[in-house]
Each structure stands twice: as structure tokens, then as C-alpha cells.
Amino acid sequence: MLIYAIISINLALLFYTVGVWSEKKQGELKKWHVIIFWTGLVFDTLGTTFMEKIASGGFKFNFHGITGLLAIILMLLHAIWASFVLIKNNEKLTTNFHKLSIFVWCIWLIPFLSGAIFGITR
């Protein structure tokens, strides 16, 4: 199960990074970005679920657990907001959306990196 968790979390990193930074570079939100955000969320949720099953006792109320939960919630809100912005088709909303994307991506990196560091040190 560990290999599935590692693959899922790394696919989440790949999809989310590609989505966020390509959306920023292109300067507007497009349909394929939203699909990539949802895909990243799915892989992050899968990887987190696998990791939780591996960890004894499930969710841990520690730095990694709290930031991981926050990251998933932010990713979910980000994907929902991206879908809304795309449906509204408002130019101002779509061109300014990348600011939120980068913020959520930076927050998401915290549990990704802390999980990798804590995992390596075990």
C-alpha cells in the first residue's frame, strides 16, 4: 500500500503543479486547468487515505496532520472556486484567479514536504 500512497501523492504534486503554474503562465483559467485541479485533488485524497491506513491510529493531530487536512480543504475549495469562475466566464475573475492558485499550491507544499521529510527520517 505504501507504493500506491507514494505514487498517488507524487501524481498529485505533478498534476497540481502543472495546473497552477500553466494557468499562471497563460494568465487565465481554462477548462483543462480545472480538470487538472480536480485530478490533483483526487490523487492527493487517495494518497492521503493510503497513508492514513498505513499509519497506526489514523489521523494524527500534529503539524503534518493539521497542515495536510488544511491543504486538502484548500484544494477542494480551490477546485470548486475554479469551476465557479469558469462557469461564470467573467474576465476579471479568470485573469486574477492565479493569485489564489499559487497561494493554495504553496500551502499544499508544506504537508507534501513535511511528509517526505518525516518519512525519510523514520
Side-chain angles (χ1 to χ4, degrees):
M1 195 175 309
L2 180 61
I3 191 70
Y4 295 125
I6 293 169
I7 290 169
S8 296
I9 292 293
N10 281 288
L11 284 172
L13 174 67
L14 174 70
F15 280 103
Y16 214 60
T17 301
V18 167
V20 167
W21 290 102
S22 63
E23 182 246 330
K24 177 175 175 28
K25 184 176 180 181
Q26 293 175 5
E28 66 178 296
L29 179 65
K30 297 181 179 176
K31 183 178 180 179
W32 75 271
H33 296 128
V34 177
I35 293 168
I36 295 291
F37 295 151
W38 282 105
T39 304
L41 175 62
V42 167
F43 278 116
D44 190 50
T45 303
L46 274 173
T48 300
T49 302
F50 287 135
M51 291 290 187
E52 187 176 78
K53 289 183 185 281
I54 294 168
S56 58
F59 177 79
K60 303 283 189 218
F61 195 74
N62 57 21
F63 177 80
H64 180 68
I66 293 168
T67 58
L69 180 60
L70 176 63
I72 288 180
I73 291 169
L74 285 174
M75 286 177 77
L76 175 61
L77 294 174
H78 178 247
I80 291 169
W81 183 247
S83 300
F84 174 78
V85 167
L86 193 67
I87 291 167
K88 288 297 270 183
N89 197 24
N90 178 300
E91 187 176 330
K92 184 176 179 175
L93 288 175
T94 57
T95 55
N96 290 322
F97 182 80
H98 66 273
K99 294 173 189 171
L100 173 66
S101 295
I102 293 169
F103 172 76
V104 173
W105 181 80
C106 288
I107 297 298
W108 184 85
L109 280 180
I110 295 169
F112 178 84
L113 294 173
S114 71
I117 291 167
F118 294 147
I120 290 171
T121 60
R122 282 190 183 176

